[in-house]
Amino acid sequence: MSKARLMQGNEACAEGAIAAGVNFFAGYPITPSTEIAETMAKLLPQHGGKFVQMEDEIASMGAILGASLAGAKVMDATSGPGFSLKQELIGFAACAEIPCVLVDVQRVGPSTGQPTSPSQADVMQARWGTHGDHPMIALAPWSVRETFDVTVEAVNLAERFRTPVILLMDEVVGHLREKVELPEHVEVYPRRQPKKTRAEGYEPYTPDEDLVPNVADFGRGYHIHVTGLIHDETGFPSGSPQVTKDSIERLHEKIARAEDEIVRTESYFMDDAEYAIIAYGGASRTAYEAVARARAKGQKVGLLRLITIWPFADKAVKELAAKVKGLLVAELNYGQAVHEVRRAAEGQCPVHFCGKYDMHTYEPQEIEAAIDAMLAGGEI
């Protein structure tokens, strides 16, 4: 381990990206993610990487996709309006299977909203922001150290599954400062390489055993065509209904068959819990304190923390709903992940909602009051 440091969440994100092998960052400053770009601008040249400040958010996304196709490990960081602007190219990355990581440090919206205020209102946009059918991976850390670890994980997942990965941070975690000790080495997933030469009939989008293709990087001597149109194994557009069906199904299945590996949660105080809170990101820090206070009062309440937001933790939520008398979802928005919890719970227990969207994060007593109301059977 390295020596202890006082570090901000956004800084830990940049450090994690570089540790995971990211060597190209293109971005545009936007609160509250700007410190990520600032740190990457400082550190990337020291590690042989490239930092480019682009003219806008759309150009930033285009730049990292081009760099990824040329063999770089890439990341971009944004918030609110910038995340909206990037959606078309996120969809392009999903269809063309271009590895990339996009960090969204969420803030209050819609539109310009409240740029420096905490929010978790981009949860559904992270999954459904682009048009068409494709899966999405999104992760949400709750501490500075975990931001480092989850950033490494995001880069590795992007490379392994050749897909865009969203690091769904929030202003609470992004601007939080904590004492951390970062590891000197991390496990890094390498860029996938072709298994055939051109002479052997290489086709870039022929899927491997895990349904992920091994597309050669541009400039390596292979003939490659990349398009946002539905394409066959050669990479060229296809008008075939069967190719279209197979392509969309494969994009989903390559993630679905690995869900048990991708989806991560953590549980606290759950051994004898009769009720449970579900939270993620910055809100889960306050939820943890509220649950600890509830335990001090003799209330049998636990916490399920979502680390992977997408794919959603259906199995964990369903199993939890079968064990407890009620669930309370605490998130910094008007109600987003709570709908997924209700779907996954399948009516096995009541699912209550405690939302907050007033420029401030929770105080522990606010979630405490919601816990008291849930246990009393009243309105929250």
Side-chain angles (χ1 to χ4, degrees):
M1 300 292 287
S2 61
K3 66 179 181 180
R5 301 161 61 185
L6 181 65
M7 182 178 292
Q8 189 185 66
N10 282 342
E11 295 169 334
C13 176
E15 295 264 9
I18 291 173
V22 169
N23 54 8
F24 185 86
F25 181 100
Y28 186 80
I30 180 170
T31 304
S33 74
T34 301
E35 294 86 0
I36 298 175
E38 291 173 342
T39 307
M40 294 296 275
K42 176 182 177 181
L43 297 181
L44 266 178
Q46 300 174 17
H47 292 82
K50 303 293 183 183
F51 171 91
V52 183
Q53 179 171 318
M54 301 299 291
E55 65 268 31
D56 58 39
E57 300 283 6
I58 300 174
S60 302
M61 193 70 198
I64 67 167
L65 297 187
S68 181
L69 287 169
K73 287 190 176 183
V74 303
M75 190 173 84
D76 185 8
T78 190
S79 182
F83 193 46
S84 298
L85 288 169
K86 296 176 188 293
Q87 292 300 327
E88 181 180 2
L89 283 171
I90 294 172
F92 174 73
C95 185
E97 296 179 88
I98 305 173
C100 60
V101 174
L102 176 58
V103 185
D104 175 22
V105 187
Q106 299 163 90
R107 70 192 207 189
V108 174
S111 189
T112 307
Q114 300 284 2
T116 60
S117 300
S119 175
Q120 294 177 315
D122 300 351
V123 170
M124 287 299 171
Q125 187 184 21
R127 175 63 185 87
W128 303 107
T130 69
H131 59 278
D133 282 320
H134 65 84
M136 184 56 69
I137 298 175
L139 311 171
W142 79 326
S143 70
V144 174
R145 173 55 200 273
E146 189 172 74
T147 297
F148 176 92
D149 296 334
V150 168
T151 304
V152 172
E153 183 178 358
V155 176
N156 285 341
L157 289 170
E159 293 292 331
R160 178 174 176 187
F161 295 104
R162 291 197 64 93
T163 187
V165 175
I166 308 299
L167 188 55
L168 203 58
M169 292 173 61
D170 51 67
E171 189 276 338
V172 176
V173 176
H175 284 160
L176 178 71
R177 292 188 183 275
E178 291 181 315
K179 175 184 174 182
V180 297
E181 293 184 21
L182 302 182
E184 295 179 359
H185 303 284
V186 299
E187 184 177 346
V188 175
Y189 194 89
R191 175 60 57 94
R192 303 174 75 106
Q193 299 297 324
K195 293 187 175 181
K196 290 183 179 180
T197 66
R198 289 182 63 184
E200 292 170 332
Y202 168 70
E203 293 182 334
Y205 286 95
T206 300
D208 211 340
E209 292 82 3
D210 58 3
L211 302 184
V212 183
N214 298 307
V215 182
D217 301 326
F218 275 83
R220 296 292 179 90
Y222 290 84
H223 180 67
I224 302 171
H225 184 85
V226 177
T227 176
L229 293 166
I230 297 295
H231 44 273
D232 59 18
E233 287 84 355
T234 69
F236 281 85
S238 171
S240 163
Q242 189 62 49
V243 168
T244 301
K245 178 177 181 292
D246 291 345
S247 295
I248 292 173
E249 287 178 350
R250 183 179 62 78
L251 287 177
H252 284 82
E253 186 61 25
K254 72 177 182 179
I255 304 300
R257 65 162 53 182
E259 279 191 10
D260 287 344
E261 174 190 348
I262 296 170
V263 176
R264 293 202 297 119
T265 63
E266 284 194 354
S267 297
Y268 311 88
F269 308 104
M270 286 302 305
D271 288 346
D272 63 344
E274 296 179 354
Y275 296 85
I277 313 301
I278 295 179
Y280 53 91
S284 56
R285 299 173 66 91
T286 317
Y288 182 95
E289 173 63 22
V291 169
R293 294 185 182 189
R295 281 281 170 172
K297 296 187 292 186
Q299 297 171 331
K300 293 184 177 181
V301 182
L303 170 65
L304 176 69
R305 180 169 70 90
L306 307 178
I307 301 172
T308 307
I309 305 300
W310 302 110
F312 197 73
D314 284 22
K315 292 182 181 178
V317 172
K318 182 178 179 179
E319 290 174 2
L320 179 59
K323 297 176 181 177
V324 298
K325 299 177 182 178
L327 294 171
L328 173 67
V329 180
E331 51 183 338
L332 297 172
N333 56 48
Y334 199 72
Q336 295 196 18
V338 62
H339 301 303
E340 290 297 297
V341 172
R342 286 177 174 142
R343 177 187 58 78
E346 297 182 347
Q348 297 181 97
C349 71
V351 177
H352 308 278
F353 177 59
C354 176
K356 190 171 173 68
Y357 36 87
D358 62 356
M359 295 178 59
H360 299 286
T361 190
Y362 291 101
E363 295 290 339
Q365 56 267 26
E366 293 176 301
I367 301 180
E368 270 191 279
I371 292 172
D372 290 341
M374 175 173 63
L375 269 61
E379 285 195 17
I380 296 175

